[in-house]
Amino acid sequence: MRKLLVVLAGVLVLVVGALPVAAAGNWAVTYMDPAPSRFEDGESYALGFWVLQHGNHPFEGKMEPVGLRFTGSGGESLTFAGTALPEAAHYATSVVVPRGVWRVQGIQGPFEPYEVGTLTVPGSLKINPVAQDMVLPGGEDYWGDVRPPGFAPGEKIGLAVGAPAAPQATATPREQTAAAESGGVPAYTLLIAAGVGALLAVAALRLTVLRRRREEPSEPSADTVVISG
């Protein structure tokens, strides 16, 4: 029985570990405003960016800290704090980055840092394409004339500048509803996780019953004759 519990627990860990980013229901995407075409060593540049929960809407809580982090090939790190702009989820910061190749991340308050792209100095900022599962469908149009890159007026989702949209399969209304309710997690993944959890619960219950039976003193049955000396 103990071996069964260990095996089931291992399966559950593998299932949870295999969940896509969207499974946690707690992520955000940093979209960059159009950046300067070229960056030079020691020069100051103003950069605008947006931090959208689920890739499509402003976070309702407190977004702190927020900014951009630049990490060099040697491990050195520079972080520039963002200042909130009038538009929801819109920020700006001024950066001065030395010569080199830098990994660029968006610092997103309670969310994990987002991999924006790579900055080469002297050179340009190369923005990573946004993963398809990082942008959930739905939501509202929160912005006016000033809006995140790729979000046209009236559209509820978008992709970062320079990130081509990947072709999407058309889902049925039932599939769309299930995906929205599960936070973007495939239904089969949730079913597997639920099934493994149920098996763990049953196995634990059986183990408890067996232990209780072993601990209880054995009593003579009604047909047993007890002979006293």
Side-chain angles (χ1 to χ4, degrees), residues 10-23:
V11 172
L12 183 59
V13 169
L14 291 175
V15 170
V16 173
L19 292 176
V21 176

Side-chain angles (χ1 to χ4, degrees), residues 140-189:
E140 301 176 8
D141 187 347
Y142 297 88
W143 303 281
D145 293 334
V146 180
R147 49 201 310 108
F151 286 67
E155 290 187 356
K156 299 177 181 180
I157 65 172
L159 293 174
V161 171
Q168 299 182 10
T170 303
T172 65
R174 178 177 297 180
E175 290 172 342
Q176 293 175 353
T177 301
E181 293 176 350
S182 63
V185 183
Y188 69 85
T189 304

Side-chain angles (χ1 to χ4, degrees), residues 61-72:
K62 191 173 183 180
M63 184 63 69
E64 186 178 285
V66 63
L68 297 176
R69 177 190 295 155
F70 297 79
T71 304

Side-chain angles (χ1 to χ4, degrees), residues 20-182:
V21 176
N26 187 30
W27 79 94
V29 174
T30 294
Y31 296 91
M32 297 297 299
D33 282 331
S37 59
R38 186 172 176 83
F39 290 77
E40 298 292 346
D41 181 13
E43 295 291 332
S44 175
Y45 299 92
L47 299 178
F49 60 98
W50 308 72
V51 180
L52 305 185
Q53 185 179 17
H54 298 165
N56 69 358
H57 67 276
F59 177 53
E60 295 181 356
K62 191 173 183 180
M63 184 63 69
E64 186 178 285
V66 63
L68 297 176
R69 177 190 295 155
F70 297 79
T71 304
S73 56
E76 61 276 30
S77 179
L78 302 171
T79 300
F80 301 92
T83 299
L85 296 176
E87 301 78 31
H90 196 192
Y91 304 89
T93 187
S94 295
V95 306
V96 178
V97 184
R99 179 180 297 267
V101 178
W102 301 82
R103 170 190 181 192
V104 184
Q105 295 176 296
I107 305 302
Q108 308 182 132
F111 306 101
E112 289 294 318
Y114 178 79
E115 298 295 333
V116 172
T118 302
L119 173 64
T120 302
V121 180
S124 59
L125 173 62
K126 181 180 180 181
I127 298 177
N128 296 331
V130 178
Q132 197 67 43
D133 63 352
M134 294 288 285
V135 185
L136 291 187
E140 301 176 8
D141 187 347
Y142 297 88
W143 303 281
D145 293 334
V146 180
R147 49 201 310 108
F151 286 67
E155 290 187 356
K156 299 177 181 180
I157 65 172
L159 293 174
V161 171
Q168 299 182 10
T170 303
T172 65
R174 178 177 297 180
E175 290 172 342
Q176 293 175 353
T177 301
E181 293 176 350
S182 63

